[in-house]
Amino acid sequence: MPDTICVDLGGSSVKLARVSADGRLTLGPVLSVPSSPEDLGPLAAALVGLGRSSTDDRLGAAGLALPGIVDERGLVASNAKYDGFAGVDLRGWLATTTGLPESCVVVENDARSALLGELAAGCAVGVKDAVLVILGTGVGTAVAHDGQLLVGAHGHAGVLGGHLTVAVGGPPCTCGNLGCAEAIAGSWALGRTWRAVVGEPPPAHLVPLGYHGLLDAAAAGDAAAAAVWTAVRDVLVALVVDLCHAHDPDVVIFSGGPLQHPMVDVLGLMDDVHRRLYPSSHRPTALRATDPASSVLLGLDHLARRAIRPGTTTQPTGAA
């Protein structure tokens, strides 16, 4: 089967890869997040270059994932990061850039793509009912029921777990709600969470506050950092309890760089979830994502291959 080209428009960087039929990734350069649709030139050039990265230049399909609510053409709505891309025909742009027919190009939410990557080629192969929680710039979630990604009637189902209310009357979120999980646990909110927990701003050596600095400081015995992490952990426990009550999964997958830190005891976190679940609820297994950096790309590959029609092969734009 021909290769696919996949693009992960993340919260802090853009990753892209050419993926072979056996799941091998040829990674492209890591790019800065484009500030507007007019800033897609470097990504287009990188995609064309990646299209030439094999002695066999055939491409069969392409996929693009980004945070927010998506439809088959692109972004419908975003929580600040990609607002300028709402309504832009990203599917058409990717088809033009790669030289592929639009029928072989897919667009998906990044958390759904990450979950599909874990189900197809990661930590949850063979699992049919799962919930994914990604901790990073925001708090992303996705849900699979009976092997199918949950999408909903209007594309919103499963992906807005980070905007479930975990603190009534809590801090405002950029989405317009109060007390969202993301408004406390998203890395963009950590400075505010530190001030709420500690009573003063984070120290200068931790500014701008991110998860790497927070968790390293907590692991080194910084009491204030440990208290902030405890507050974030409590939010994650509440969120996962809510997701389990709503979706009854067999497994809960924890993804994102912060949740791979040695300071984060995923099994201990899940024990607290189990203690708070409804008495007859299934106690799902906690899994760590195999490779959070590649799960979105592998999920897009799996999704894009469904779009390949037998015999459809197109040279990428500019291919030799």
Side-chain angles (χ1 to χ4, degrees):
M1 289 186 67
D3 292 355
T4 66
I5 280 191
C6 303
V7 182
D8 175 11
L9 293 178
S12 57
S13 64
V14 178
K15 303 181 186 71
L16 57 153
R18 181 167 179 149
V19 189
S20 64
D22 60 1
R24 290 182 295 107
L25 273 68
T26 301
L27 296 174
V30 177
L31 305 175
S32 299
V33 172
S35 57
S36 71
E38 290 72 34
D39 196 27
L40 287 172
L43 176 56
L47 284 170
V48 171
L50 199 57
R52 299 189 183 118
S53 66
S54 171
T55 55
D56 179 358
D57 282 322
R58 296 181 309 152
L59 290 179
L64 181 148
L66 71 166
I69 306 302
V70 302
D71 62 15
E72 65 176 12
R73 306 304 312 178
L75 185 69
V76 174
S78 175
N79 191 18
K81 175 61 71 172
Y82 287 99
D83 281 352
F85 288 82
V88 175
D89 184 5
L90 290 172
R91 185 182 181 192
W93 173 85
L94 186 58
T96 299
T97 301
T98 59
L100 289 164
E102 287 192 14
S103 59
C104 295
V105 175
V106 296
V107 177
E108 185 52 278
N109 167 270
D110 58 348
R112 285 199 193 106
S113 298
L115 175 54
L116 187 57
E118 297 301 334
L119 296 176
C123 68
V125 173
V127 173
K128 292 187 175 181
D129 292 88
V131 162
L132 174 83
V133 176
I134 304 177
L135 184 61
T137 304
V139 178
T141 64
V143 178
H145 281 313
D146 196 25
Q148 299 296 316
L149 294 176
L150 185 63
V151 177
H154 308 98
H156 289 61
V159 297
L160 293 179
H163 300 285
L164 291 174
T165 301
V166 296
V168 175
C173 182
T174 54
C175 75
N177 192 19
L178 299 176
C180 292
E182 182 171 309
I184 300 169
S187 67
W188 64 264
L190 281 181
R192 182 175 66 186
T193 300
W194 181 294
R195 289 189 294 273
V197 172
V198 180
E200 59 186 33
H205 70 279
L206 290 180
V207 176
L209 184 61
Y211 270 109
H212 181 75
L214 175 70
L215 291 168
D216 280 354
D222 185 312
V228 174
W229 168 242
T230 296
V232 169
R233 184 185 181 280
D234 289 345
V235 165
L236 294 176
V237 169
L239 173 60
V240 174
V241 168
D242 287 347
L243 292 171
C244 289
H245 282 161
H247 302 293
D248 189 24
D250 281 327
V251 304
V252 176
I253 303 168
F254 294 93
S255 188
L259 293 178
Q260 313 305 306
H261 194 282
M263 183 69 184
V264 180
D265 177 9
V266 167
L267 295 180
L269 188 154
M270 205 64 188
D271 284 343
D272 287 348
V273 169
H274 289 173
R275 281 190 283 271
R276 292 172 55 178
L277 286 174
Y278 193 78
S280 62
S281 292
H282 172 71
R283 268 53 185 168
T285 301
L287 299 175
R288 263 198 174 105
T290 300
D291 180 13
S294 65
S295 59
V296 173
L297 298 168
L298 290 171
L300 279 174
D301 171 65
H302 186 79
L303 191 64
R305 286 185 186 281
R306 297 179 187 174
I308 299 177
R309 296 176 180 174
T312 300
T313 302
T314 305
Q315 293 278 6
T317 299

